[in-house]
Amino acid sequence: MSITAVPLKPVKRRVLVYLWAGIAVAAVGAAALAVQTPVDPAATFLAHNAQTEGVKQTPSGLQYQVLTPGTGAPPTDQDVALVNYEGKFVDGTVFDKSQRPFPVPLGEHQVVPGFEEALTLIPKGGKYRVWIKPSLAYGDTARPGMPAHSTLVFDIEMLDFLSKAAVQQLQQQQMMQQQMMQGGGAPGGMPPGAMPGAPGGAPGGAVPQGN
């Protein structure tokens, strides 16, 4: 035995039992805390989905995948996009689908934020699949047929887009033609009750809100 070694007193068996019991209690407590920590299914799904080949993510957290590349620049807030779309939950259940080409005026918040952001990424002729996290969709608000905290999956096809000014002009021309067909006035006249300079707005009625 080295002369510099310090002899240790033997530890009583009862003390060792207490030590191991304390360690076991601490381990059980830590496991209980881990079990009690809430798991966000949407965050878990999106974290896994982000690792899928071809999936990209914007700074806002919107995830997308190019199914068919388009050509040219995508639309801006000054445009009206004409799209086909199909909306699903992450389990593949379809909750919405366009029945005909659907017009969406951008920059007017008429669709959920994630859907509108997606449209600003897709050039003409492009088809993208997008995953919209709850905070970019309906968040904690439940809707008929749609649970709260739902992650939405859309396949969106950008058929075309025009400037809002061009759409307004087309609408005015269409109203004039209808007026002429009805014999209501000469070319260039205003339809009854119309106000000069009134905004035309986007064509169509409702826009996809995920329901």
Side-chain angles (χ1 to χ4, degrees):
M1 179 177 180
S2 171
I3 60 174
T4 59
V6 178
L8 298 176
K9 294 182 179 181
V11 181
K12 294 182 179 181
R13 179 177 178 82
R14 184 173 60 183
V15 175
L16 288 174
V17 171
Y18 287 151
L19 287 173
W20 282 115
I23 292 172
V25 169
V28 170
L33 287 175
V35 170
Q36 293 173 3
T37 302
V39 177
D40 183 351
T44 301
F45 169 82
L46 291 168
H48 181 268
N49 191 61
Q51 306 304 315
T52 304
E53 183 178 359
V55 173
K56 299 180 180 179
Q57 183 167 302
T58 69
S60 72
L62 176 73
Q63 295 181 358
Y64 68 95
Q65 183 180 38
V66 179
L67 303 179
T68 303
T71 56
T76 70
D77 287 353
Q78 304 304 313
D79 296 317
V80 177
L82 191 65
V83 302
N84 282 328
Y85 69 90
E86 181 178 66
K88 302 178 181 179
F89 297 119
V90 295
D91 65 359
T93 301
V94 177
F95 63 83
D96 194 11
K97 183 176 182 179
S98 59
Q99 300 301 316
R100 60 183 61 86
F102 201 88
V104 182
L106 300 181
E108 298 182 10
H109 311 295
Q110 295 189 23
V111 292
V112 295
F115 192 94
E116 183 162 336
E117 181 183 354
L119 295 183
T120 65
L121 301 174
I122 310 174
K124 289 182 181 181
K127 184 176 182 179
Y128 285 26
R129 178 166 296 159
V130 299
W131 292 264
I132 304 176
K133 64 181 183 179
S135 62
L136 293 177
Y138 295 105
D140 57 3
T141 302
R143 296 168 60 87
M146 179 175 296
H149 306 290
S150 292
T151 297
L152 309 182
V153 186
F154 279 97
D155 285 351
I156 307 174
E157 182 181 7
M158 182 67 67
L159 302 175
D160 198 4
F161 59 85
L162 291 174
S163 69
K164 293 178 182 178
V167 171
Q168 182 176 358
Q169 184 177 9
L170 288 173
Q171 288 179 321
Q172 291 174 345
Q173 292 175 353
Q174 186 178 24
M175 286 190 297
M176 290 169 58
Q177 291 174 357
Q178 290 176 347
Q179 183 182 11
M180 292 175 60
M181 291 176 62
Q182 295 170 0
M190 295 293 293
M195 296 180 61
V207 288
Q209 290 283 351
N211 55 356

